[in-house]
Every structure is written in C-alpha cells, then in structure tokens.
C-alpha cells in the first residue's frame, strides 16, 4: 500500500513539474511591448484654428498621451524640438510656457530644434534648467567641443526589459540666432559616434534618432548608420503626418506641425525577434482638453491679448506677405515696410530684409503690437554696418540664387533697386543695382541696416565677414521693436510696391 502511494505521489509530482515548466515556458514566451510617443513643433500652447482645421494645443496633447499610457504603462514620450520662436506666441514667451506644460504632461526626452536658439543660447540654457525632463543632443557642442549645456549625447531607455537607445541631431543652425556659443557638428559623424558609445555601454534592442533635418538627410542618415531602426523627424506639413518606410522595417516618421498629431511606435519583442509598428495619433478637435492644461493655456493666451492688443498706428492698406510666398521671390509692400523701418531707424543708405523672416500678412485697420510681432517673431537684432558695393552685389546674388525653391534669403530692400533674371545660373542673375537712384559703385562703402542673422551668415550670407560693424547686436534693438517704433512715428501706414525689385524674363 505504501509502495503504491509512493508511486502515485511520484507520478503526480512529475506531472505537476511538467505542467509548471510548461506554464513557465509559455510565460517567458509572451511578447513584450514598449511604446514611444513622439511630437514636435510646439510653437503654440493653444489649438491652432485656420483653413487647415482645428488641431493641437497642450491640453489635447496631454489627453492623447494619457490615453496611451493607460493602455500601456511602458510608454516613453519624446519631444523633437522647436518650442520657441517662429510665431507670435513663441516670440513673446520664448518657449517657457511650453516647458511648463511639458513638465505637467511628464515627457521623458527632448531634442533641440534650431528655433529653440532664436533668442540666443543663454535663453536655451534657461529652458533646459527649467525642464523636469531631460534634453539631449548628439551633435551640438560649445566652442570647446563639449556637449551644449552639458546634455547627454545619447540615452538608453528600458521599458519592460526592452532597451531603447536614443540619439538626437539638429541641423540648420545657420537659420537661427548666431551668438558664437553653439557649434553644429557633422550630423553623420556625430550619429556614428553616439551609436558607438551607446553600444559600448549596453546592448540595446532598438536604436531611434530624434532629428531636426530634411527628409533627404534622414535618408542619408539611415544609409550611413545601419544600426538606426527608426527616425523621428521634423514636420513636413502642418496638416499631414508621414510614415516613410525606408527598408527592412526601418522608418522615417514625421508628425504634423503645431502639435497636430503624434507618432506612436510600438516596439514588440518576442524572444530575440523585435518588430516595430508605427501609427499616427491625431491631436485635433475630437480629443478632449485636459482641464488643468487648458487653464494654463488660457492664462497665457489672455495675458498675450492684454499685452499685444493695443493699437499703435492705423493701417490704410493691407500688408501682404503673399499666399504663394511672394515675399521670397518678388517685391512686396510688407517687405518694403520692414526694410524701410530698418533704414529709417539708422538713417542708413540701405535697408535689407530677408523675405523668409517675414511670417504673415496683416489686414487693413488698427496696427497693433501683436501685428508687429506676428510679422517679425524671431527677435533678431537690427545692426548697422559699412558694406562695399561689391559685397552688396554678392549678397543680392545669394538672395536670388534659390528663388525657384522659395528660399528664405530673398532680399527685400529700401533705398535701392535691383533687377534679376531667374533663368540665368545662380551667381549671375542680378543685372542692375541702383542706390539712391544712382548705379551702385562697387568700391564705395554704404551704410546698411540689416539683421544680425544675415550679417552673421544666416541663409548663406557669408560675404559680410569683412564688413565693418558700426552698431553690433549687443547694442542693437530687436526687429519688432524697430518696426513698432517706425509704425508709431508714421501714425498712418500706407505703403505699396514701387518697382524696387524687377524680374527680367
């Protein structure tokens, strides 16, 4: 009897052991999932409502993020850059309300966009200091080659045992304020170095890149650095998201501008196999606003209205930027108005304004502080320099070299006229130049009022390096301030086009 009991007990134990082993094996084989949410282009704290729809806003963004977190607690949130400059709200508040909102939302990582430097690198460092989340950059350094603001060059995030390596890259630093304190290192080499250091530190399952660069450069990045599995990049449209499949389940992912959408990337690990599943989450009028974040957004919007709604002049004629970006290839009355304000401020021979820095049209009626900041949201400084005629010609050639691509460097002018032929090769398109109704003297020096952005080499204007500064950016006023003072002096603004720029066909 005892022997039979022992045999039966042994049998039960063996079967139980096999069942437990089977259950354990099945548990181990269960796929794990981590989620990465990505958004960028956060110039506006409230929803943007225009002909493209009703989208964005930090209150909706928080709701959308919270929904995903409730579904999968193993979620990381990354911001791709650009929370200052670019718009009226960004110009006035320089990105600080967005940092406050992101602290409430609870994001994990942030990359720099070039517009995060529109007010100088010292402001950018203050944004970093006030952030509860971590900024990073794989290619921005100080002048000694050390990481800008001491941020990390890569990060490794562990979500449910899935190790996600992150690098970040910022391009086009020549299109923002240049204070000489930030150096943009080579994108590809920086990416390779960051990935190498990351893999020396720890084995990772997936490598993602947060980038502020063009689609073409994203493709070059994937070709040059095969370890990168996905690229989260800057917006390619205000009302459309893009999921580009590159090769071998590698993707380039771009959300809408102004927080209009997020990219969701689910990373599924089953044993040693890793699968990436990208999708788009719309952040539009169908998403309820988080009450607390809406209070924050409303506070700043109301404050903005109070500060900027006061009229400073009467506008007789609309100031027209152009539905087809005409300010980037032909004379416009808004271009004349801005260039005139620069020249008048210094009583200079010439005023020059790059068309891409003018951001909106203004209807006739009362002209307010809001209008001035909307036209010129970047807070560049209006400097004065002695510039030789041959340098002015070189600058105009640079300005018309990319008109077919609506290049932002196209120059609106005051105190001078010029003509150009867009069918000729770049570098030889300018045909005539007159200053104060006389042909330009290539060896004569003229007093030119322009933005420090242009003088320091932005938009390819490298020819001013040998020109003498008479008023440097430390002593200069901002572009919007100059425009406001000019409008107040005029009291009535009535400006048109008058043949300053001619297109030869």
């Amino acid at each position: 009897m005892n022997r039979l009991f022992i045999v039966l007990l042994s049998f039960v134990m063996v079967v139980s052991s096999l069942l437990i082993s089977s259950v354990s094996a099945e548990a181990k084989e269960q796929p794990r999932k981590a989620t990465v949410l990505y958004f960028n282009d956060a110039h506006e704290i409230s929803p943007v409502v225009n002909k493209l729809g009703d989208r964005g806003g930090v209150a909706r963004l928080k709701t959308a993020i919270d929904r995903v977190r409730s579904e999968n607690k193993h979620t990381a949130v990354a911001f791709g850059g650009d929370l200052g400059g670019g718009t009226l709200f960004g110009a006035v508040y320089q990105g600080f309300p967005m940092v406050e909102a992101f602290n409430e939302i609870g994001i994990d990582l942030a990359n720099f966009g070039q517009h995060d430097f529109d007010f100088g690198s010292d402001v950018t460092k203050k944004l970093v200091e006030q952030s509860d989340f971590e900024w990073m950059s794989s290619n921005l350094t100080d002048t000694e080659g050390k990481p800008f603001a001491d941020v990390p060059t890569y990060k490794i995030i562990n979500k449910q045992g899935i190790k996600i390596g992150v690098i970040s890259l910022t391009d086009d630093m020549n299109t923002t304020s240049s204070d000489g304190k930030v150096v943009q290192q080579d994108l590809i080499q920086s990416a390779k170095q960051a990935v190498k250091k990351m893999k020396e530190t720890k084995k990772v399952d997936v490598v993602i890149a947060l980038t502020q660069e063009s689609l073409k450069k994203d493709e070059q990045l994937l070709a040059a650095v095969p370890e990168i599995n996905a690229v989260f990049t800057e917006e390619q449209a205000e009302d459309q998201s893009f999921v580009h499949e590159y090769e071998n389940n590698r993707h380039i992912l771009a959300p809408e501008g102004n927080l209009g959408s997020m990219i969701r990337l689910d990373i599924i690990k089953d044993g040693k196999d890793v699968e990436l599943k990208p999708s788009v989450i719309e952040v539009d009028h169908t998403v309820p606003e988080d009450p607390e974040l809406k209070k924050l957004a409303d506070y700043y919007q109301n404050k903005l209205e109070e500060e900027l709604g006061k009229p400073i002049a009467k506008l007789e004629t609309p100031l027209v930027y152009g539905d087809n970006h005409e300010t980037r290839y032909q004379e416009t009355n808004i271009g004349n108005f801005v260039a005139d304000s620069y020249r008048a401020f210094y009583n200079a021979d010439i005023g020059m304004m790059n068309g891409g820095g003018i951001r909106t049209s203004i209807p006739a009626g009362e002209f307010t502080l809001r209008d001035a900041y909307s036209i010129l949201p970047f807070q560049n400084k209006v400097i004065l320099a002695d510039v030789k005629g041959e340098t002015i010609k070189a600058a105009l050639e640079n300005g018309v070299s990319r008109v077919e691509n609506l290049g932002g460097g196209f120059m609106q002018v005051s105190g001078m006229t010029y003509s150009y032929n867009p069918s000729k090769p770049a570098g030889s398109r300018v045909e005539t130049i007159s200053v104060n109704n006389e042909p330009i003297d290539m060896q004569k020096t003229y007093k030119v009022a322009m933005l420090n952005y242009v003088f320091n080499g932005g938009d390819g204007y490298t020819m001013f390096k040998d020109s003498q500064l008479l008023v440097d950016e430390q002593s200069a006023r901002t572009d919007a301030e100059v425009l406001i003072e000019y409008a107040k002096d005029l009291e009535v603004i009535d400006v048109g086009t008058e043949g300053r720029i001619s297109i030869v066909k």
Side-chain angles (χ1 to χ4, degrees), residues 293-306:
L293 265 292
K294 187 178 188 307
K295 287 181 184 177
L296 180 70
D298 289 346
Y299 166 77
Y300 280 110
Q301 286 297 154
N302 292 335
K303 187 178 178 182
L304 186 67
E305 292 296 320
E306 293 174 9

Side-chain angles (χ1 to χ4, degrees), residues 270-284:
D270 189 356
K272 293 184 178 180
D273 296 328
V274 177
E275 183 182 6
L276 305 184
K277 291 186 176 180
S279 58
V280 175
I281 298 174
E282 294 295 336
V283 184
D284 58 17

